[in-house]
Amino acid sequence: MLIPHPLLGPRDAQEFTYLGDARLLDRPAPDTPDAEAAFCAYVYLRDNPAGVHRELWYHEQGDRSWLVVTRDTLTHEILGAELAAGIVSARPETAV
Amino acid sequence: MHFSGLRVVKEALTGHRGWKPLWRNPDPKPDYDIVIVGGGGHGLATAYYLAKTFGKTRVAVLEKGWLGSGNIGRNTTIIRSNYLLPGNEPFYEFSMKLWEGLEQDLNFNAMVSQRGIINLFHTDAQRDAFRRRGNAMLLAGADARLLDQNALRQILPYLNYDNARFPIKGGLMQPRGGTARHDGVAWGYARGADLRGVDLIQNCEVTGFRIENGAIRGVETARGFIGAKTVGVAVAGNSGRVMAMAGQRLPIESHVLQAFVTEGLKPLIDTVITFGAGHFYVSQSDKGGLVFGGDIDGYNSYAQRGNLPVVEDVAEGGMALMPMIGRARLLRSWGGVMDMSMDGSPIIDRTGIAGLYVNGGWCYGGFKATPASGYAFAHLLATDRPHATATAYRLDRFARGFVIDEKGVGAHPNLH
Ligand SMILES: Cc1cc2nc3c(=O)[nH]c(=O)nc-3n(C[C@H](O)[C@H](O)[C@H](O)COP(=O)(O)OP(=O)(O)OC[C@H]3O[C@@H](n4cnc5c(N)ncnc54)[C@H](O)[C@@H]3O)c2cc1C
């Protein structure tokens, strides 16, 4: 698999380590009444879809960036890749 | 139709005209007492024990393809009970005992072969860990022998003991471990269940669940609605996808695991060898092919095929362990989709929906579990109580902090 790195162009997936569902970017708030249940779901439960999946890959043997890769789990076709940092900083709650 | 040596001789003399198909091919009835989703090893074994041990015969197994088209026909056939943790080891030893009586019980040749399994170690620390594991196995009534390098050289003279990165210092052997013919296991259980009245329905994909007031009423299928107040899901790599239709998110990711077989060779490896440090394990089939594999590819996949980097990794592991393997030619490689759970251990439990039960999370090791998984799931479906060896396999163990993490790597399915 070739991952289209937004800064470096197509890179061999072997240069990356895989973490999993990109929803891991959505860390629950620790100070709400249902925080315990929310964290349990965050750590352990997954949608695990057959089809399009947004997932986190770490460019360990490259520029050490985290990417959100959109990939079809039925065909392994890679549909796109973005910098995870860009996604997080574009959120209203992270804006300063 | 009873199988025996006498029968084989009689058929040979009469032109093999008396053999019958191993099971019927019935149309689905409008409803059953119990419906099992998934006609793999676990679903078929569940149906068999439901009928045989728990007297339930208004049972159907619904399979989306043909019986044995999933992982039961794709695995590398290793059976063993060499686990460490108390939640696991008694269960796998129960399975091993069922394997030992399986062929007589089923009147079917599943080619169960207790040729032993040897896990190699490379450091003092690893030897200590394996000694501890061996002791845990003995405490659970299993068998274990710690072999030093000299003892190992007698059994496996052809290994590369002086690998610079992973010199082989010895191994933990389970003499009662070994292999079984995977298809034979599926066919034997299927025949046994069918003989006792279970309907095995192929080409019948389950496409939805009918749930009313928090209780299961039946399943929607490619062949229409089928009613049942008890439904057991045993769909291996598809657990996440199928349980999503019941609105459940599971502590599971689906991943692809590849396996390989060489051309037939003269008898060479008379046991099972695992080289965990090098991501490689190997045995030899009765046809002579070296059957081997390694790690999962490591990313979510439902594709039933993997990619070349893992082929290379496995081949390198084989070369590091036994350089002569480089002379063998590869015949085939394939992949299967497995439900990797968050702690590497399985789930056999109720769900939040009354009458709906789930059996999954078997990772790359569910073949050896087939008999006990079927027995324990049948126990749960028939009595609504877990079997004594499967009480730890609960869905809520993650929330309660009772994970069964043999490798101790945490909630990273691709590392188990
Ligand atoms: C390459 C490889 C090597 C392995 N090696 C070993 C090994 O050496 N030892 C070991 O112990 N384990 C091994 N395993 C793991 C083992 O094969 C599995 O854990 C085990 O087979 C899973 O249980 P099963 O037999 O019921 O699965 P399956 O045979 O996959 O059964 C599940 C069935 O459910 C059906 N299904 C799915 N969705 C639906 C639906 N919606 N409706 C109806 N039916 C559906 C599927 O078609 C399938 O037939 C290996 C796995 C792989 C892929």
Side-chain angles (χ1 to χ4, degrees):
Chain A
M1 291 190 293
L2 285 178
I3 294 181
H5 193 297
L7 304 176
L8 305 173
R11 306 300 314 178
D12 190 334
Q14 286 303 100
E15 295 174 3
F16 294 78
T17 346
Y18 180 79
L19 184 65
D21 194 326
R23 282 172 68 169
L24 289 169
L25 290 173
D26 307 321
R27 201 179 161 83
D31 48 5
T32 56
D34 64 349
E36 193 176 330
F39 265 99
C40 181
Y42 171 79
V43 173
Y44 291 116
L45 302 184
R46 297 289 181 269
D47 287 342
N48 193 21
V52 175
H53 190 223
R54 278 163 50 80
E55 52 200 27
L56 286 162
W57 293 74
Y58 177 56
H59 200 193
E60 188 165 32
Q61 293 171 55
D63 70 348
R64 305 282 171 104
S65 60
W66 281 96
L67 300 189
V68 173
V69 175
T70 308
R71 194 177 55 94
D72 189 329
T73 60
L74 284 163
T75 61
H76 298 163
E77 187 190 354
I78 294 180
L79 306 165
E82 306 154 81
L83 288 173
I87 295 174
V88 174
S89 60
R91 288 178 175 166
E93 69 271 21
T94 21
V96 275
Chain B
M1 185 173 64
H2 189 80
F3 289 117
S4 66
L6 203 64
R7 180 77 197 250
V8 172
V9 173
K10 187 173 160 243
E11 289 296 335
L13 294 174
T14 54
H16 290 289
R17 278 186 295 266
W19 300 120
K20 300 263 163 25
L22 290 182
W23 51 81
R24 301 163 294 133
N25 225 341
D27 288 325
K29 299 194 182 98
D31 64 275
Y32 293 90
D33 290 343
I34 303 177
V35 158
I36 295 159
V37 186
H42 292 209
L44 294 167
T46 304
Y48 173 77
Y49 292 112
L50 272 174
K52 184 189 169 228
T53 310
F54 300 93
K56 306 275 183 200
T57 52
R58 275 183 37 82
V59 175
V61 177
L62 311 182
E63 164 56 45
K64 79 170 169 190
W66 65 93
L67 298 184
S69 55
N71 289 340
I72 188 68
R74 293 168 189 263
N75 63 72
T76 43
T77 79
I78 297 165
I79 61 176
R80 56 188 173 91
S81 59
N82 55 1
Y83 285 72
L84 170 73
L85 298 178
N88 274 333
E89 182 56 11
F91 172 84
Y92 286 103
E93 177 52 20
F94 174 51
S95 205
M96 185 54 79
K97 294 213 166 69
L98 290 174
W99 281 114
E100 287 173 327
L102 187 73
E103 293 163 307
Q104 289 70 24
D105 188 30
L106 294 176
N107 176 233
F108 199 84
N109 185 4
M111 294 167 67
V112 176
S113 162
Q114 293 182 291
R115 57 185 68 181
I117 178 165
I118 299 172
N119 307 142
L120 302 175
F121 60 76
H122 315 278
T123 62
D124 288 350
Q126 220 187 350
R127 185 190 54 226
D128 291 348
F130 276 22
R131 184 188 292 280
R132 176 175 172 226
R133 174 187 298 259
N135 285 334
M137 291 160 64
L138 294 174
L139 284 174
D143 57 320
R145 275 173 57 201
L146 200 68
L147 305 173
D148 62 15
Q149 199 200 64
N150 280 335
L152 205 56
R153 280 182 190 272
Q154 306 290 317
I155 309 174
L156 306 170
Y158 44 78
L159 299 187
N160 177 10
Y161 287 84
D162 305 315
N163 180 297
R165 177 69 182 84
F166 296 116
I168 298 169
K169 302 287 189 191
L172 178 66
M173 181 177 197
Q174 182 180 26
R176 284 160 66 242
T179 57
R181 167 124 200 243
H182 50 8
D183 299 313
V185 175
W187 299 334
Y189 274 123
R191 169 175 169 267
D194 176 84
L195 280 174
R196 286 168 179 81
V198 172
D199 282 358
L200 308 176
I201 299 164
Q202 306 182 62
N203 299 311
C204 185
E205 178 168 2
V206 168
T207 53
F209 295 96
R210 192 175 291 177
I211 297 161
E212 286 166 11
N213 302 324
I216 192 90
R217 288 287 165 262
V219 290
E220 310 290 347
T221 80
R223 299 177 66 175
F225 174 77
I226 299 175
K229 294 207 170 96
T230 302
V231 174
V233 175
V235 293
N238 286 290
S239 297
R241 195 181 186 179
V242 171
M243 292 309 289
M245 298 190 291
Q248 306 239 322
R249 293 174 81 214
L250 297 181
I252 285 175
E253 283 177 4
S254 295
H255 284 259
V256 58
L257 176 67
Q258 306 191 56
F260 309 85
V261 65
T262 69
E263 60 194 340
L265 303 172
K266 290 268 170 57
L268 173 68
I269 301 176
D270 59 358
T271 181
V272 180
I273 309 168
T274 79
F275 174 35
H279 312 164
F280 180 82
Y281 64 95
V282 62
S283 68
Q284 187 168 21
S285 81
D286 290 357
K287 276 195 291 189
L290 302 183
V291 181
F292 58 90
D295 274 354
I296 59 177
D297 273 40
Y299 42 81
N300 287 44
S301 173
Y302 284 91
Q304 287 203 127
R305 63 183 166 76
N307 275 307
L308 288 171
V310 168
V311 180
E312 192 176 15
D313 185 58
V314 172
E316 284 171 0
M319 290 299 289
L321 179 67
M322 36 190 295
M324 67 177 172
I325 203 173
R327 304 292 296 273
R329 277 172 299 190
L330 211 59
L331 206 58
R332 278 181 290 126
S333 76
W334 63 94
V337 180
M338 292 155 313
D339 38 351
M340 299 298 298
S341 68
M342 286 287 164
D343 61 357
S345 293
I347 292 153
I348 306 178
D349 202 3
R350 306 176 186 98
T351 63
I353 297 155
L356 181 63
Y357 300 83
V358 65
N359 174 324
W362 293 98
C363 303
Y364 45 79
F367 176 65
K368 71 177 91 72
T370 306
S373 166
Y375 197 100
F377 203 34
H379 188 285
L380 182 66
L381 292 172
T383 67
D384 195 40
R385 282 180 293 110
H387 184 256
T389 62
T391 51
Y393 295 152
R394 292 172 55 160
L395 209 43
D396 67 359
R397 67 175 182 264
F398 301 93
R400 293 183 306 120
F402 286 86
V403 292
I404 315 167
D405 190 343
E406 289 272 341
K407 277 202 189 165
V409 295
H412 295 281
N414 62 347
L415 300 182
H416 285 290

